[in-house]
């Protein structure tokens, strides 16, 4: 009798793919969405991590060149019109402004107020350039942040939906054995697992990347401040 | 600048996910195969069947017959004749009355003192009350016997009628067992047993159920789950096959003991 009961119990394939195929349409949609979110957030993570690493390296190299004692004009010529990294971009923006004002007549403005205005303009140009660069670097960070906070809820939604369906099915079949209850709940919990899998790295790397970005922003600001000081000193000297 | 689309990042991300899924597929067992089909479950079941199906009925019965003959059969044997003997008593009183008139003082004052008034009505009333008493006492011993059977599992089924009822009981139990879906994965299920009192209608449908250990049923969720499997078995099994309507009195109230080791007793 018991063997008959066992034979009658559905043999359930608990593999992840089978769970996914058995799931309700809403649960499927949630799972697909979570997988896409995970893919995209990891793409952003890799992109940002590699980008930041290379940016720090480039900033190191540029500062080395900048402080190596060669003339700023030479450095400007070397960097060229299309700088490849934010620090160089700030440098070229400032140098361009400097040349445009100072190099108009070949000489810097004679009056103190004129040189003060030039210094202010250069500062402003550098600040704008810095902000634009940081804005570029911050792009898509919002996706990481919202993945980190939303993915668990999305997974939870999938789970709740799946469990609701499961209980409806249990009520309809009026069979409460573990064999009938378990697969539906497992399939529903799968969504929560995916939500956590998507969210955890997103949160961790969001924290890491944003702290790295603020370090980099600080470095750029320091560079801009120092460069502005050098330029204003030159204005005073001339 | 190359910051518009994270192409390399996307490629790395896809590779990472593929690697994770591959590793999970290879290493985590449940990702690959079904869980429930484990042979473990099937190994256990035949063992339970062997234990439950064979021993209880054959061994107890031979033992029963010699021992308990003394205690239980007598009352029942007595009942039967007494109910059959109903006609004689009314006949008797008449001759006795005739006899008494001479003998009243001498022979039978003590036993006949109840009868001396001798109006037939009273006699009949007496008999009826006696019969009622007998009827009251008659069903009682059976349930007691049954409960003893359930309690002690030393089946005390002495006489023929009882044995017949035992086979009917076995049929009923077999019927309910066929509907019993026990959850073999439940914690502590092998030590659990639940008694359910079943009230059956004359047509074999279930009138109502009572869980004997209601206090534990309300408190212990494991016990409740287990009891519910038994309850579902009884309720979900449709009409209970009544082999003879004559024995309805025996089976209108039964206590079934659900235990995964001994199956249903």
């Amino acid at each position: 009798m018991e063997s008959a009961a066992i034979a009658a119990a559905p043999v359930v394939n608990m593999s992840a793919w089978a769970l996914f195929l058995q799931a309700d349409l809403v649960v499927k949609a949630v799972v697909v969405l979570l997988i896409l979110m995970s893919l995209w957030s990891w793409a952003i993570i890799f992109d940002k991590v590699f980008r930041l690493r290379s940016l720090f390296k480039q900033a190191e190299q540029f500062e080395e060149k900048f402080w190596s004692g060669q003339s700023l004009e030479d450095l400007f010529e070397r960097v060229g019109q299309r700088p490849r990294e934010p620090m160089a971009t700030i440098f070229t923006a400032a140098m361009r402004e400097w040349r445009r004002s100072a190099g108009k007549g070949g000489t810097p403005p004679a009056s103190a107020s004129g040189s003060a205005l030039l210094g202010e303009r250069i500062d402003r140009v550098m600040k704008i350039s810095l902000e634009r660069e940081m804005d570029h670097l911050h792009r898509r960070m919002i996706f990481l942040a919202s993945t980190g906070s939303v993915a668990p809820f999305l997974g939870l939604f999938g789970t709740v939906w799946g469990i609701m369906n499961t209980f409806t099915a249990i009520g309809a079949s009026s069979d409460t054995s573990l064999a009938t209850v378990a697969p539906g709940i497992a399939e529903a919990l799968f969504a929560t697992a995916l939500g956590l899998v998507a969210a955890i790295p997103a949160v961790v790397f969001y924290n890491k990347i944003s702290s790295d970005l603020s370090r980099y922003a600080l470095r750029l600001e320091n560079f801009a401040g120092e460069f502005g000081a050098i330029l204003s000193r030159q204005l005073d000297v001339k | 600048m190359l910051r518009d689309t994270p192409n390399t990042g996307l490629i790395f991300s896809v590779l990472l996910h593929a690697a994770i899924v591959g590793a999970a597929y290879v290493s985590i067992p449940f990702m690959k195969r079904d869980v429930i089909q484990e042979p473990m479950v099937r190994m256990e079941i035949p063992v339970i069947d062997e234990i439950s199906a064979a021993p209880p009925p054959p061994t107890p019965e031979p033992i029963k017959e010699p021992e308990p003959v003394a205690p239980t059969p007598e009352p029942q044997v007595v009942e039967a004749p007494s109910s059959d003997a109903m006609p004689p008593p009314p006949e008797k009183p008449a001759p006795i009355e005739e006899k008494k008139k001479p003998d009243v003082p001498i022979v039978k004052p003590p036993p006949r003192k109840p009868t001396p008034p001798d109006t037939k009505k009273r006699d009949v009333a007496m008999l009826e009350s006696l019969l009622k008493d007998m009827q009251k006492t008659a069903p009682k011993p059976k349930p007691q016997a049954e409960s003893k059977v359930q309690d002690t599992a030393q089946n005390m089924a002495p006489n023929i009628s009882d044995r017949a009822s035992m086979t009917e009981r076995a049929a009923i139990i077999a019927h309910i067992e066929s509907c019993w879906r026990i959850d073999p994965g439940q914690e502590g299920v092998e030590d659990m047993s639940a008694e359910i009192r079943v009230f059956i209608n004359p047509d074999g449908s279930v009138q109502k159920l009572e869980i004997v250990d209601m206090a534990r049923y309300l408190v212990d969720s494991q016990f409740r789950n287990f009891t519910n499997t038994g309850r579902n078995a009884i309720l979900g099994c449709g009409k209970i096959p009544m082999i003879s309507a004559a024995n309805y009195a025996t089976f209108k109230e039964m206590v079934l003991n659900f235990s995964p080791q001994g199956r249903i007793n």
Side-chain angles (χ1 to χ4, degrees), chain B residues 54-265:
Chain B
T59 44
E61 278 187 30
I63 300 166
K64 301 164 210 161
E65 286 179 30
E67 290 178 2
V69 168
T72 36
E74 285 177 5
Q76 284 174 344
V77 172
V78 172
E79 295 153 19
S82 70
S83 59
D84 292 342
M86 277 191 58
E91 292 171 12
K92 279 179 186 173
I96 290 166
E97 284 168 9
E98 294 165 14
K99 286 176 187 174
K100 281 173 202 165
K101 282 176 184 175
D103 299 336
V104 169
I106 314 161
V107 189
K108 296 177 179 175
R112 291 297 166 183
K113 267 189 178 175
T115 42
D118 268 343
T119 46
K120 280 191 178 180
K121 286 178 186 175
R122 277 198 181 180
D123 212 3
V124 172
M126 285 280 294
L127 279 167
E128 279 177 354
S129 68
L130 248 179
L131 273 173
K132 278 179 185 173
D133 287 349
M134 296 303 283
Q135 282 171 348
K136 278 177 193 170
T137 49
K140 274 182 186 174
K142 285 176 187 173
Q144 280 172 0
E146 278 181 5
S147 59
K148 275 179 192 168
V149 168
Q150 294 134 16
D151 293 341
T152 57
Q154 302 167 343
N155 292 351
M156 305 258 205
N159 56 17
I160 300 172
S161 69
D162 243 353
R163 213 185 303 158
S165 73
M166 284 311 290
T167 58
E168 288 188 16
R169 199 182 148 79
I172 293 171
I173 284 170
H175 175 69
I176 293 173
E177 267 190 357
S178 70
C179 303
W180 192 20
R181 302 279 180 274
I182 188 173
D183 179 357
Q186 196 189 332
E187 186 186 344
V189 73
E190 67 274 2
D191 299 327
M192 221 165 261
S193 73
E195 288 192 342
I196 300 180
R197 182 172 286 120
V198 192
F199 297 88
I200 300 168
N201 286 326
D203 65 347
S205 57
V206 177
Q207 186 183 4
K208 67 170 180 172
L209 300 178
E210 273 177 13
I211 284 119
V212 174
D213 193 352
M214 197 62 189
R216 188 179 173 198
Y217 180 82
L218 291 176
V219 173
D220 183 352
S221 65
Q222 298 284 357
F223 179 75
R224 183 162 58 239
N225 287 342
F226 180 77
T227 312
N228 280 342
T229 61
R231 205 186 59 166
N232 291 343
I234 299 168
L235 291 178
C237 226
K239 289 186 177 180
I240 288 169
M242 298 297 287
I243 291 166
S244 62
N247 282 332
Y248 170 64
T250 314
F251 293 115
K252 68 181 177 185
E253 182 186 341
M254 298 197 304
V255 177
L256 298 179
N257 188 7
F258 289 79
S259 67
Q261 287 176 335
R263 312 296 300 157
I264 303 177
N265 291 320

Side-chain angles (χ1 to χ4, degrees), chain A residues 20 26-42 143 146-159 187-202, chain B residues 13 17:
Chain A
F20 175 72
V26 175
V27 181
K28 272 183 191 163
V30 165
V31 166
V32 168
L33 195 60
L34 284 173
I35 289 174
L36 289 181
M37 280 172 86
S38 174
L39 267 176
W40 187 237
S41 65
W42 271 102
F143 185 84
S146 47
T147 298
S149 56
V150 165
F153 290 119
L154 198 57
L156 194 60
F157 168 69
T159 296
E187 136 205 327
L189 287 177
F190 188 51
T192 300
L194 273 184
L196 293 179
V197 163
I200 292 170
Chain B
S13 170
H17 283 78

Side-chain angles (χ1 to χ4, degrees), chain A residues 49-65 85 87 216 219:
Chain A
V49 168
F50 291 156
R51 172 83 53 79
L52 273 170
R53 188 173 296 166
S54 74
L55 281 182
F56 272 108
K57 203 182 288 172
Q58 284 172 352
E60 199 85 27
Q61 288 168 356
F62 184 82
E63 281 190 324
E64 220 168 274
K65 271 185 230 159
E85 51 120 1
M87 200 172 268
Y216 187 69
R219 192 165 186 172

